[in-house]
Amino acid sequence: MINRQKVLEVRHLQTQFRTEHGIVRSVDDVSFRLDAGEILGIVGESGCGKSVTSFSIMGLIEAPGEIAGGEIWLEEQELTKLSKRQLRKLQGKDMAMIFQEPLTSLNPLLTVGLQISEVLTRHKRLSKREVKEQSIAMLRQVGIPRPEQVYHAYPHELSGGMRQRVMIAIAISCGSKLLIADEPTTALDVTIQAQILKLMKELRDNLNTSIMLITHDLGVVAEMADRVIVMYAGQVVEEGDVYEIYRSPKHPYTKGLMNSTPKIEEVRRKLESIPGTVPVLSNMPSGCRFHPRCPVARDKCRAEAPQMKLLRPGVQVRCWLHQEGEVELNEEFKRRAAAGG
Amino acid sequence: MVHSHTEALKPEMSYEVARTIHPITRWMRLLLRSKTGTFGFVILVLVALTALLSVLLAPYDPTLLNARNRLVPPFWSDGGSMAHILGTDHLGRDILSRIIYGSQITLLVSGASVIISAVIGITLGVVCGYYGGGWFDAIVMRVVDANMAIPNILFMLVIVGVFGTSVPTLIVVLGITGWIAYTRLIRAEVLSLKEREFIRAARSIGTRDRTIMRKHILPNLISTCIVVSTLSVGGNIVLEASLSFLGLGIQPPIVTWGYMLNEGRDYIATSWWIATFPGVAIAVTVLGILFFGDWLRDVFDPKAQGRR
């Protein structure tokens, strides 16, 4: 990548919710950066804090939730310090988001045209005619056939893929440099999924949009992302180049995720799964949060929480295994198996 | 520019059809497709015309006394005549004329009071629901709870007792007791509506709270509002009649259907027509409004368009 301009940087973000059972910290010390024209994949199981991270960035966290600490830098602005009013000026213009369910993320009672116009009139000073022209141009840009007619259509008259295209059109219509896609293809079938992913890649290539792609589909990440962040129980456990992560995962959790995904080139007898479940946020295990499910957990893992360790520029992992330099995970697994058996 | 993937994404339907015809023609077509909707609409138009053209339509002055023509039965009964189609009451006043004039006040009071309660109730309901759990919500909901503990009719009796009975008082009384129904329903609906993804999507593009309430929440409440409004118009006609029946409604010489019922009560055993015809007028009007409201609710739901 030639252009290494930073678009988004999240530093030690903490987001918590006040509940009846006390404070629940859904996002705990999450840091990452996203450069211009980069696609960053965020992977993890349900409830690991992926969506809460994106809502925190977008300023969509509402009481009883709050951002308890950390900084979010969008280009030159620190978002956590901004008022609601100032944030609203950025939402939709400098950062935009598309959601999992294209069916429910459009207002069923307003035409597609009205909903695109909304963001344009909110952030740009345009005449009514210009708004309409631009809206139709945006629909055309995201590959919607006969945009003049779709402009007058209601969401229920469109297919799921078309609706997601409309959402993308709304998200990019004010020239946002950052697009947060929260499981954008989960609700779509596979052929449409491929089209939407292709569209997002084209946006990146043509408009240099930075995309934060949240998903639990490792296939989608492999296809799309330049860099990957793996989250577990509200924390980043591994960060790295997409090839690096797929070729040699550093964290046992990442490895577990990989092993529980079927691979087409490999004939496997049985699909592995990670034993146990994601811990409840209000009752976090001591030490490393993954240790109850970890096949290579040691006493130290139970007692003390590991910190992010930079192995090499761009490759970080939160695991005691790699604390004194990188360890080949497969070797470690074998050694463990030998010692145990 | 991004390439389009037209092959895979050809929408089957066309959008032109509904947009080339004149809106009034379209509405009339939609109306004629529903039997009950047409019925309700016709009733409403008839009642409204009757109210507007009372002076032309009524054969007699509704307050004209005629001692020689007391308790004349309707024309098809023995002793009835075409001079008084629906007969006369105990003071010899023409019942048909009184029903025709009574439609004015009945429509005015029920319509105006529903508008008052709708404006108060919907506004409070939307704000309470959107900021659900806040201090404003808490206060309004306590007022609602308190109001539920007092029967409406008692509350009205007190106010009417204090301020006297006049048309404006009655409208205001019915108006300010009616908003509760709206607020409770609308608030509940908004509470669930604001968790929908499109509200979050609207917020994610920087839409202001009040714009969200106006553009995204309010339109989604139309069917609820129509249902509550039509029910309340019907309910208010009956309430006004009840107040008049209790003698605390609008006072003579102004004619209302409820007051006519009240007067006819004493003669129900001997001269059934005095109370029956205003009663029928109330029943038919309320039914018409309910049918029309039902149809309106269907029309405002774009998802139901194919079904009609």
Side-chain angles (χ1 to χ4, degrees):
Chain A
M1 202 125 304
I2 312 148
N3 194 343
R4 294 294 285 174
Q5 197 192 345
K6 184 176 77 185
V7 170
L8 175 76
E9 181 164 15
V10 176
R11 288 185 199 150
H12 309 291
L13 178 70
Q14 295 182 328
T15 305
Q16 61 191 26
F17 292 85
R18 289 170 196 280
T19 69
E20 290 164 29
H21 314 291
I23 289 174
V24 171
R25 191 158 283 176
S26 307
V27 173
D28 197 357
D29 195 21
V30 164
S31 305
F32 59 89
R33 68 176 266 171
L34 179 58
D35 292 327
E38 190 181 31
I39 299 181
L40 174 71
I42 298 189
V43 210
E45 285 166 283
S46 309
C48 69
K50 297 172 294 185
S51 293
V52 175
T53 306
S54 58
F55 293 153
S56 306
I57 297 167
M58 286 300 296
L60 295 177
I61 295 288
E62 277 207 330
E66 58 179 1
I67 295 178
E71 293 168 2
I72 300 167
W73 289 86
L74 182 71
E75 288 177 316
E76 297 309 311
Q77 283 194 84
E78 215 279 271
L79 301 185
T80 60
K81 299 246 172 2
L82 296 184
S83 70
K84 232 181 155 186
R85 216 193 162 82
Q86 290 168 310
L87 260 174
R88 272 188 205 137
K89 289 201 179 121
L90 302 177
Q91 290 166 339
K93 185 161 146 281
D94 296 310
M95 51 183 180
M97 184 159 180
I98 55 177
F99 297 87
Q100 183 171 347
E101 285 279 346
L103 178 68
T104 54
S105 42
L106 287 166
N107 187 335
L109 293 183
L110 302 180
T111 59
V112 165
L114 270 174
Q115 302 192 50
I116 298 198
S117 309
E118 189 173 19
V119 63
L120 286 169
T121 42
R122 174 80 181 93
H123 295 296
K124 286 186 173 179
R125 300 178 127 229
L126 295 171
S127 72
K128 264 194 167 167
R129 232 193 59 217
E130 287 169 318
V131 166
K132 186 172 177 183
E133 279 167 10
Q134 274 220 28
S135 305
I136 290 174
M138 289 322 297
L139 289 175
R140 184 171 291 123
Q141 188 175 352
V142 295
I144 287 176
R146 300 194 293 165
E148 291 84 359
Q149 282 156 28
V150 172
Y151 182 88
H152 292 291
Y154 285 97
H156 72 273
E157 295 176 301
L158 306 175
S159 66
M162 294 274 272
R163 272 178 238 159
Q164 198 59 291
R165 280 170 197 266
V166 171
M167 284 306 294
I168 294 175
I170 293 174
I172 61 170
S173 57
C174 287
S176 169
K177 284 283 147 214
L178 170 67
L179 178 65
I180 299 179
D182 189 359
E183 312 225 6
T185 57
T186 310
L188 304 174
D189 63 42
V190 194
T191 46
I192 306 298
Q193 190 170 335
Q195 292 175 1
I196 295 294
L197 293 178
K198 189 173 166 217
L199 172 65
M200 289 186 6
K201 251 190 167 157
E202 283 164 346
L203 288 179
R204 192 272 300 269
D205 296 341
N206 297 320
L207 306 172
N208 207 28
T209 313
S210 308
I211 299 175
M212 199 174 127
L213 180 69
I214 295 165
T215 180
H216 54 244
D217 188 337
L218 289 165
V220 168
V221 171
E223 166 80 22
M224 296 284 293
D226 303 310
R227 269 187 318 122
V228 181
I229 282 177
V230 182
M231 283 186 73
Y232 183 80
Q235 290 183 323
V236 176
V237 292
E238 181 164 357
E239 181 187 343
D241 184 53
V242 67
Y243 298 108
E244 183 79 29
I245 287 217
Y246 277 80
R247 203 176 51 228
S248 69
K250 302 284 174 292
H251 198 282
Y253 176 63
T254 317
K255 179 142 182 75
L257 275 185
M258 303 284 168
N259 288 345
S260 49
T261 312
K263 290 194 188 82
I264 204 138
E265 68 268 21
E266 218 174 282
V267 183
R268 223 186 295 187
R269 293 164 303 278
K270 212 169 125 198
L271 208 56
E272 285 172 40
S273 66
I274 307 176
T277 51
V278 183
V280 188
L281 289 168
S282 54
N283 187 18
M284 216 31 102
S286 64
C288 172
R289 293 182 178 183
F290 186 60
H291 86 252
R293 303 173 71 187
C294 183
V296 291
R298 290 176 281 189
D299 290 341
K300 193 172 192 184
C301 304
R302 282 177 262 277
E304 216 177 318
Q307 293 302 308
M308 270 315 247
K309 166 90 177 162
L310 190 72
L311 295 180
R312 155 165 37 103
V315 180
Q316 292 189 71
V317 65
R318 191 189 290 273
C319 181
W320 285 120
L321 268 181
H322 304 279
Q323 232 32 240
E324 277 94 47
E326 204 176 325
V327 174
E328 182 52 51
L329 209 53
N330 279 332
E331 296 300 315
E332 182 65 24
F333 271 66
K334 275 182 208 150
R335 205 161 57 232
R336 265 320 145 98
Chain B
M1 273 296 114
V2 175
H3 311 289
S4 63
H5 314 276
T6 27
E7 306 80 31
L9 294 165
K10 261 181 203 133
E12 304 78 29
M13 60 212 96
S14 61
Y15 309 109
E16 305 96 314
V17 188
R19 270 159 249 283
T20 43
I21 49 175
H22 193 274
I24 294 179
T25 325
R26 197 170 75 98
W27 281 88
M28 285 318 290
R29 271 188 208 163
L30 285 175
L31 184 63
L32 289 175
R33 258 186 251 173
S34 153
K35 277 185 200 126
T36 49
T38 314
F39 173 77
F41 182 72
V42 169
I43 299 283
L44 261 187
V45 169
L46 283 181
V47 176
L49 280 179
T50 311
L52 284 174
L53 305 174
S54 302
V55 188
L56 299 175
L57 289 173
Y60 298 93
D61 180 338
T63 53
L64 183 74
L65 306 180
N66 189 339
R68 273 179 301 173
N69 273 331
R70 293 172 62 236
L71 303 173
V72 175
F75 72 92
W76 60 84
S77 305
D78 291 340
S81 77
M82 287 305 284
H84 299 283
I85 296 175
L86 298 182
T88 59
D89 65 8
H90 59 291
L91 296 174
R93 295 174 297 196
D94 183 50
I95 300 232
L96 180 62
S97 305
R98 287 175 68 74
I99 288 180
I100 289 173
Y101 272 91
S103 65
Q104 290 181 329
I105 296 301
T106 305
L107 276 196
L108 175 73
V109 169
S110 54
S113 59
V114 162
I115 291 172
I116 294 178
S117 28
V119 170
I120 302 176
I122 294 170
T123 316
L124 287 178
V126 169
V127 174
C128 285
Y130 193 77
Y131 299 111
W135 60 270
F136 186 75
D137 181 37
I139 293 173
V140 174
M141 288 330 281
R142 292 301 81 73
V143 174
V144 168
D145 289 346
N147 196 288
M148 304 256 301
I150 311 166
N152 258 351
I153 194 91
L154 273 184
F155 186 65
M156 288 178 200
L157 286 180
V158 172
I159 297 187
V160 170
V162 174
F163 293 99
T165 55
S166 68
V167 174
T169 321
L170 206 65
I171 290 174
V172 172
V173 167
L174 287 170
I176 59 169
T177 46
W179 63 271
I180 306 284
Y182 286 90
T183 305
R184 289 179 61 233
L185 264 176
I186 300 273
R187 175 183 176 269
E189 194 128 322
V190 173
L191 278 178
S192 80
L193 208 56
K194 73 165 184 177
E195 299 301 329
R196 299 268 294 276
E197 197 122 84
F198 68 83
I199 299 294
R200 183 175 277 154
R203 282 173 52 218
S204 81
I205 57 170
T207 315
R208 292 186 194 90
D209 283 355
R210 62 192 136 94
T211 316
I212 290 180
M213 288 188 237
R214 193 167 41 89
K215 270 187 74 178
H216 292 282
I217 289 182
L218 215 48
N220 278 289
L221 298 171
I222 282 181
S223 53
T224 313
C225 292
I226 288 171
V227 173
V228 181
S229 296
T230 48
L231 281 174
S232 332
V233 170
N236 281 358
I237 290 178
V238 176
L239 266 179
E240 183 272 325
S242 321
L243 279 177
S244 297
F245 186 81
L246 292 171
L248 283 159
I250 290 152
Q251 300 298 310
I254 300 173
V255 195
T256 72
W257 292 346
Y259 187 72
M260 290 175 74
L261 268 182
N262 183 24
E263 283 185 324
R265 185 183 42 158
D266 299 336
Y267 299 88
I268 192 77
T270 51
S271 312
W272 55 271
W273 56 89
I274 303 178
T276 304
F277 292 118
V280 169
I282 292 174
V284 171
T285 310
V286 171
L287 201 65
I289 291 169
L290 289 180
F291 279 164
F292 184 66
D294 224 30
W295 171 78
L296 264 186
R297 189 198 54 200
D298 290 345
V299 169
F300 275 110
D301 184 0
K303 276 186 257 175
Q305 297 223 342
R307 274 186 265 133
R308 271 191 318 276

